[in-house]
Amino acid sequence: MTTADVALEHGYSGHRGVTRWLFTTNHKDIGTMYLVFSLAMFFVGGAMIMLVRAELFQPGLQIMQPELFNQLIGVHALVMIFMALMPAATGFANWMIPLMIGAPDMALPRLNNWSFWLLPPAALLLLMPFALALFGIGSGAIGTGWTFYAPLSVQDGMGIDFAIFAIHLLGISSVMGSINIIVTIFNLRAPGMTFMKLPLFAWGWLITAFMLVAVIPVLAGAVTMLLADRHFGTHFFSAAGGGDPILFQHLFWFFGHPEVYIVLFPVWGVTPHILSAFARKPIYGYRAQVYAFWVIGVLSVVVWGHHIMTTGMPTGALLYFMYSTMAISLPLSVLFFCWIATIWRGAMTFEAPMLFALGMIVLFGIGGLTGLVLADAAADAQYHHSYFVVAHFHYTLFAGGIMGVMAGVYYWLPKMTGHMYSEKLAQWHFWLTAVAFNLTFMPQFFLGLAGMPRRIPDYALQFSEFNMISSIGAFVLGASQLLFLYVVVKCIRGGPPAPAKVWEGAQGLEWTLPSPPPYHTFQVQPRVE
Amino acid sequence: MLLGAITTAIPWPVRAELAWNFPAPATPLALDTLQVHNKFMVITLAIFAVVFAIMIYSIFTHRKSRGVEPAKFTGPGTAAQVFWTTVPFVIFAGIDFILMGIPAFHSVQMMQDTRTDADMVIKITGSQWKWQYEYPDQGIKFVSTLATPQAQIANREKKDEHYLLEVDNPLVLPVGKKVRILLTSTDVIHTWWVPQFGVKRDAIPGFIRETWALIERPGIYRGQCAELCGRGHGFMPVVVQAVSEPDYRQWLAQKKAGQAAQAASAGHVWSRGDLMKHGEELYEKICAACHQASGQGVPGAFPALAGSKIVNGPMLDAKGLLVKDGHLDRVMNGKPATAMQAFKNTLSDVDIAGVVTFERNSFGNHMGDMVQPSQVKTLR
Ligand code: HEM
Ligand SMILES: [Cu+2]
């Protein structure tokens, strides 16, 4: 046997050790790297916000100065959205889409390798200014919140420049990844798998990918204009030079609002699979869900103005953004209805993936309903930039996003590793997360109503009690995630072997393969009847 | 550390009641938004309760452990299923565009109508990190900044009842008058927010935005800046004192007299000691937010004044004109695209003369010179 043959036998590409991961073009290796990166960043972003919550534990400045506070909240958000939530979804896409649609790998494997390897430098760029500041270079990381609003971002320190380049790398990575997913889904489906047989997870990702390709360039343009304003004397965002500071907000949110759905579609794609598997019943309203995805995707790019209703828009614009935003509740109600109809009259069991999926539906429901209220332009004047909004978007992003991802992790972990995870610990993880999550964010609704602005490092005495409760909740929530880490690591290192079809009621091509699937997935292309 | 934090936290005034909703409205707009909010909350809670109840019912009855046979239906096929699928759609359409949509339309119209029957106009200018209030019809203006001492913020002193929500010069407005409020900013975007007025509107550099308030009851209303505007964002309170019409007239008269006296004093020749004293007060209120009480600045963000080339350089040339990028020029005209703003718009002649004189002779700077308010006046 030649060496090449041996390599094939063992299922590797010829590279071993570190280089296997550096040069890999295998969708599972890349998926794994995305997931590991995402988990690591989830802890980085979490650690930052624990510092913030410690500062907000009581009124007065305790452990940090306002500069650092502003940097931590902004970087927390950028890390959580771009480096925890999005890579988690991309990790799933790499792992699962080829398995689910019967493809041997992603369509553009080298591009895939690149998409991943742009992320670590981006993370480095974003975080490095913290370290540089310790050595007296610069004033630390981006201190404008994750929204970068000009003109504050024009005058802030060099942390902004670092963040701009980080955003560029992240954007390039996302667009390349998206193109890969689009091409894979279009070209590599198994014979017989028509679009209307495509698993919902693949549908969710397909729409996400189209949206990313559409809106990331807008963000890239906006931050490039910002860079020019900062260093080349342009005045895109300065009224004194003939520009418009609000233009930046329009550009940002034209990207930023769809971004919310971009991170949620993949999760909404996983949810029905899980519900159907644990209810032992087919997915309800498959077509309705696909259409709802499309409608939400299209609506999401025309409602950005609801983020900037206090900038003093004309009445007509306010009314338009109000009604179009409210309209998103219609397709969303269809999704919720289908989810509930999927478990209706099923034969349910409640393993961790199911718990997380159900918890996600309930808590994301709160995020959605409070979003409906926020759409009212007059009432929004009261909620905007208050803690009410912070609570609202954590109910959507943490409950709707992260908890959905966790459902997916538990659902697919045995398939990926070939081992069962500890069900008991996973259940503990769910209940701790769910309870601590509400303890953290429910009080923030009341803080917002009482008039506490967001992004303040110190607050009036009337906000003390709720802040303390919220901080305690956050510490428990943060600590619970260590349990998650433990369960995952333990499962990777061993455990009872997982059968090919891990869950009794699971449907789909990925469950026809052994767990873990072989390195080169489908030697023979499957057919879908 | 946690334990320590908890024990130190106990002496905080534990309030008898927690706030679960908007504070008591003081304007028609706030009342309207409160009602809208309450209505929405009832509607959304009802939806949530119904959906949650259905889920709970399903979770308890449709369990495998009870031996149920899972049904096989996959989508709106039967007439009953089509009916049930359209129900949530129709409910939400009704809520969105009728139940919520129609009142919301009227609220928006009301919020946006800043001009009809307006009785007076005030102009508010945000800057890092203070509000300037101007009464164009009366020809008065003043700056309003946080009055909470640094020692309370740094936990060295017990905090007052209105910690962080108190200012040196509140905005004073008459009750029962529709006040049209114009907003702008000198540096970055700030947002003027008083929860009890139901008003929140951005102050944007280079643009004018507007909103309005008709305060129904006398009282002191407190709010904060709501747009992240840099390090001082949490320390930029808005305090409005609403008084009866006669009290308002009286306050106006006093304010005008005070301002006239100040303008007159700009003509006097000031002693260095008096200027230093006046300058020090102002420095702490306005400049220390960035350059720090010690004059050391914040490395990388705000330059130090101690030993600074500009502060220790010439400020007036032989003809008594401003030296470009000299000390006085920087204070009066600011530095574009930075947090250093043109203070000639917000400070009086005496203020500028005082603060410049103070900076030149403090933090280890020994220029030994001074600038008279009258000089500042001619340089404007
Ligand atoms: C342990 C979990 C988390 C806690 C305790 C937490 C808490 C917080 C807090 C206290 C803030 C600052 C609010 C303010 O002062 O304005 C914040 C901001 C934010 N968080 Fe989280 N967060 C968590 C997880 C997440 C996740 C998973 C995401 C998104 C995927 C996320 C997205 C954001 C965003 C977008 C902001 C706004 C930042 C800004 O103002 O620029 N957070 N979070
Ligand atoms: Cu401000």
Side-chain angles (χ1 to χ4, degrees):
Chain A
M1 272 204 288
T2 65
T3 20
D5 283 339
V6 175
L8 264 183
E9 280 263 330
H10 290 251
Y12 291 110
S13 52
H15 290 292
R16 276 151 208 280
V18 185
T19 49
R20 163 178 169 191
W21 299 99
L22 267 180
F23 301 129
T24 184
T25 53
N26 180 284
H27 72 99
K28 296 192 211 71
D29 282 356
I30 293 174
T32 303
M33 291 196 296
Y34 265 109
L35 290 171
V36 170
F37 177 80
S38 153
L39 188 59
M41 282 308 183
F42 181 53
F43 280 98
V44 170
M48 288 180 173
I49 214 66
M50 292 302 121
L51 287 174
V52 166
R53 282 298 354 160
E55 175 58 58
L56 293 174
F57 187 77
Q58 59 180 55
L61 292 181
Q62 267 74 236
I63 56 176
M64 65 180 77
Q65 287 302 306
E67 291 86 350
L68 182 59
F69 181 93
N70 292 349
Q71 293 166 13
L72 288 175
I73 55 166
V75 177
H76 156 75
L78 288 167
V79 164
M80 283 298 189
I81 292 174
F82 288 99
M83 299 187 202
L85 206 41
M86 287 174 75
T90 319
F92 282 159
N94 269 300
W95 249 101
M96 288 300 156
I97 288 180
L99 302 190
M100 287 177 139
I101 66 172
D105 201 315
M106 295 296 278
L108 310 165
R110 289 216 182 273
L111 193 73
N112 208 11
N113 175 290
W114 261 107
S115 311
F116 174 77
W117 282 110
L118 288 178
L119 294 184
L124 205 66
L125 274 179
L126 193 64
L127 300 176
M128 202 157 58
F130 281 121
L132 291 180
L134 288 182
F135 294 104
I137 306 169
S139 54
I142 173 172
T144 58
W146 80 291
T147 48
F148 283 84
Y149 280 3
L152 183 61
S153 54
V154 175
Q155 55 164 257
D156 206 46
M158 72 177 186
I160 303 278
D161 301 314
F162 279 80
I164 289 174
F165 286 111
I167 291 278
H168 276 308
L169 290 186
L170 293 165
I172 296 170
S173 161
S174 299
V175 171
M176 293 200 317
S178 300
I179 291 172
N180 212 343
I181 286 166
I182 294 172
V183 177
T184 306
I185 293 179
F186 270 66
N187 295 315
L188 298 189
R189 277 167 295 134
M193 182 172 282
T194 59
F195 271 104
M196 273 301 156
K197 284 194 182 147
L198 206 59
L200 276 175
F201 175 67
W203 260 121
W205 242 115
L206 190 60
I207 291 164
T208 281
F210 278 124
M211 285 169 61
L212 276 169
V213 173
V215 301
I216 286 272
V218 178
L219 175 69
V223 294
T224 308
M225 287 154 84
L226 181 62
L227 194 69
D229 268 13
R230 284 170 62 77
H231 299 291
F232 309 125
T234 55
H235 292 99
F236 292 112
F237 307 127
S238 132
D244 182 349
I246 301 303
L247 173 64
F248 184 85
Q249 303 189 9
H250 282 287
L251 293 173
F252 181 87
W253 287 112
F254 184 78
F255 148 81
H257 187 74
E259 172 68 14
V260 178
Y261 295 93
I262 285 169
V263 299
L264 292 179
F265 276 127
V267 175
W268 295 346
V270 185
T271 308
H273 292 285
I274 297 178
L275 296 175
S276 133
F278 294 92
R280 293 164 182 75
K281 206 172 137 264
I283 289 173
Y284 180 88
Y286 170 90
R287 268 169 191 274
Q289 292 190 54
V290 173
Y291 297 147
F293 281 177
W294 275 109
V295 174
I296 295 172
V298 170
L299 276 179
S300 77
V301 280
V302 297
V303 299
W304 76 90
H306 65 219
H307 290 272
I308 51 178
M309 281 173 170
T310 63
T311 54
M313 285 188 214
T315 311
L318 280 182
L319 290 172
Y320 161 72
F321 282 121
M322 177 168 90
Y323 290 127
S324 56
T325 305
M326 286 178 172
I328 294 188
S329 69
L330 303 179
L332 212 51
S333 74
V334 172
L335 282 186
F336 271 90
F337 182 78
C338 291
W339 294 341
I340 290 168
T342 300
I343 61 172
W344 187 254
R345 289 182 48 213
M348 279 186 269
T349 52
F350 301 93
E351 289 89 342
M354 183 65 158
L355 286 180
F356 272 100
L358 293 173
M360 177 289 223
I361 295 177
V362 172
L363 297 177
F364 174 61
I366 298 178
L369 289 171
T370 48
L372 190 58
V373 185
L374 277 162
D376 180 310
D380 178 70
Q382 286 285 51
Y383 308 125
H384 181 71
H385 274 337
S386 79
Y387 257 79
F388 189 88
V389 169
V390 177
H392 154 73
F393 69 65
H394 282 90
Y395 271 85
T396 53
L397 288 175
F398 191 105
I402 297 280
M403 285 178 69
V405 166
M406 284 168 175
V409 168
Y410 286 121
Y411 183 56
W412 282 320
L413 198 58
K415 167 84 358 197
M416 295 172 177
T417 61
H419 306 294
M420 293 306 290
Y421 60 83
S422 159
E423 187 59 49
K424 198 168 137 216
L425 290 180
Q427 305 237 343
W428 267 101
H429 173 224
F430 169 74
W431 287 109
L432 281 170
T433 302
V435 171
F437 171 81
N438 285 299
L439 195 61
T440 309
F441 292 107
M442 195 51 82
Q444 295 185 5
F445 280 123
F446 303 119
L447 282 173
L449 296 180
M452 176 161 163
R454 67 194 269 216
R455 295 166 162 172
I456 53 174
D458 190 7
Y459 49 80
L461 300 183
Q462 80 221 51
F463 306 128
S464 308
E465 287 86 358
F466 279 132
N467 266 298
M468 199 177 284
I469 298 172
S470 178
S471 285
I472 293 171
F475 297 142
V476 177
L477 185 58
S480 316
Q481 305 320 312
L482 296 172
L483 184 60
F484 179 53
L485 181 68
Y486 176 75
V487 176
V488 170
V489 170
K490 194 161 162 248
C491 178
I492 294 171
R493 301 185 52 180
K501 191 167 170 186
V502 179
W503 311 107
E504 187 192 345
Q507 303 282 332
L509 280 179
E510 74 268 37
W511 308 106
T512 62
L513 293 160
S515 306
Y519 193 70
H520 292 291
T521 309
F522 289 103
Q523 302 284 7
V524 185
Q525 197 171 35
R527 293 194 140 269
V528 179
E529 298 313 322
Chain B
M1 190 191 87
L2 195 64
L3 212 72
I6 291 172
T7 42
T8 45
I10 287 169
W12 293 115
V14 177
R15 283 162 26 102
E17 46 173 333
L18 294 171
W20 302 98
N21 208 337
F22 291 141
T27 66
L29 205 54
L31 183 67
D32 185 71
T33 35
L34 175 69
Q35 285 166 345
V36 165
H37 167 81
N38 286 343
K39 188 162 143 200
F40 283 15
M41 283 296 147
V42 170
I43 296 172
T44 52
L45 279 173
I47 296 173
F48 183 75
V50 170
V51 173
F52 197 47
I54 296 174
M55 275 183 76
I56 294 281
Y57 173 80
S58 180
I59 286 170
F60 277 95
T61 50
H62 306 142
R63 299 178 159 247
K64 193 183 175 209
S65 54
R66 299 182 37 147
V68 285
E69 264 309 298
K72 294 259 175 308
F73 60 88
T74 56
T78 65
Q81 284 178 22
V82 171
F83 172 75
W84 282 113
T85 313
T86 44
V87 163
F89 199 87
V90 172
I91 291 180
F92 270 97
I95 291 171
D96 288 358
F97 300 115
I98 298 172
L99 220 55
M100 287 173 46
I102 293 173
F105 179 83
H106 293 293
S107 312
V108 171
Q109 297 255 304
M110 176 160 135
M111 176 175 81
Q112 293 285 91
D113 179 15
T114 59
R115 297 179 202 198
T116 315
D117 298 330
D119 296 304
M120 59 183 279
V121 177
I122 56 162
K123 188 177 163 207
I124 302 179
T125 309
S127 39
Q128 285 166 322
W129 285 279
K130 52 195 163 294
W131 296 105
Q132 178 182 271
Y133 297 118
E134 190 174 342
Y135 298 63
D137 303 336
Q138 309 294 338
I140 54 175
K141 60 176 170 182
F142 55 88
V143 174
S144 173
T145 55
L146 179 72
T148 299
Q150 281 299 320
Q152 288 188 16
I153 296 173
N155 302 314
R156 289 195 305 269
E157 269 176 22
K158 192 169 160 341
K159 296 177 172 44
D160 294 337
E161 187 190 353
H162 296 297
Y163 176 70
L164 294 190
L165 297 180
E166 48 202 351
V167 296
D168 51 359
N169 286 314
L171 175 64
V172 178
L173 292 176
V175 292
K177 298 268 175 218
K178 179 165 178 175
V179 184
R180 185 170 164 227
I181 299 170
L182 304 181
L183 292 149
T184 189
S185 162
T186 59
D187 40 40
V188 303
I189 298 172
H190 302 271
T191 301
W192 199 77
W193 182 27
V194 181
Q196 286 177 280
F197 293 179
V199 154
K200 186 184 284 149
R201 186 113 312 180
D202 293 0
I204 303 163
F207 291 89
I208 300 242
R209 288 294 183 254
E210 50 187 281
T211 184
W212 63 279
L214 193 162
I215 311 169
E216 285 166 336
R217 291 173 281 114
I220 297 183
Y221 302 98
R222 298 167 199 275
Q224 280 174 280
C225 173
E227 177 71 62
L228 179 56
C229 53
R231 73 185 298 278
H233 167 53
F235 308 99
M236 201 172 159
V238 174
V239 179
V240 181
Q241 195 179 344
V243 295
S244 66
E245 177 75 20
D247 288 352
Y248 173 67
R249 294 269 148 230
Q250 201 186 343
W251 173 84
L252 269 184
Q254 257 175 21
K255 203 76 184 169
K256 276 187 195 162
Q259 224 146 32
Q262 235 205 4
S265 70
H268 306 164
V269 176
W270 282 58
S271 78
R272 216 177 84 184
D274 286 348
L275 271 182
M276 287 287 286
K277 195 160 151 283
H278 185 69
E280 182 169 8
E281 273 168 25
L282 244 122
Y283 182 85
E284 264 154 30
K285 250 176 61 182
I286 294 188
C287 322
C290 296
H291 296 290
Q292 307 299 306
S294 61
Q296 295 296 334
V298 177
F302 305 115
L305 301 178
S308 138
K309 254 205 226 108
I310 291 182
V311 175
N312 291 293
M315 53 180 172
L316 297 174
D317 62 16
K319 289 192 214 121
L321 295 178
L322 281 179
V323 173
K324 177 118 182 65
D325 286 331
H327 188 183
L328 196 53
D329 180 34
R330 189 50 43 85
V331 174
M332 288 181 71
N333 298 317
K335 184 170 177 184
T338 70
M340 184 66 193
Q341 54 193 274
F343 281 100
K344 72 171 177 214
N345 303 323
T346 45
L347 297 185
S348 71
D349 303 332
V350 178
D351 294 346
I352 292 181
V355 101
V356 168
T357 306
F358 173 74
E359 287 176 352
R360 296 174 81 76
N361 297 292
S362 309
F363 329 119
N365 300 335
H366 298 290
M367 291 304 289
D369 57 359
M370 61 189 291
V371 53
Q372 284 294 340
S374 52
Q375 288 174 287
V376 175
K377 194 170 180 173
T378 54
L379 290 166
R380 275 186 186 268

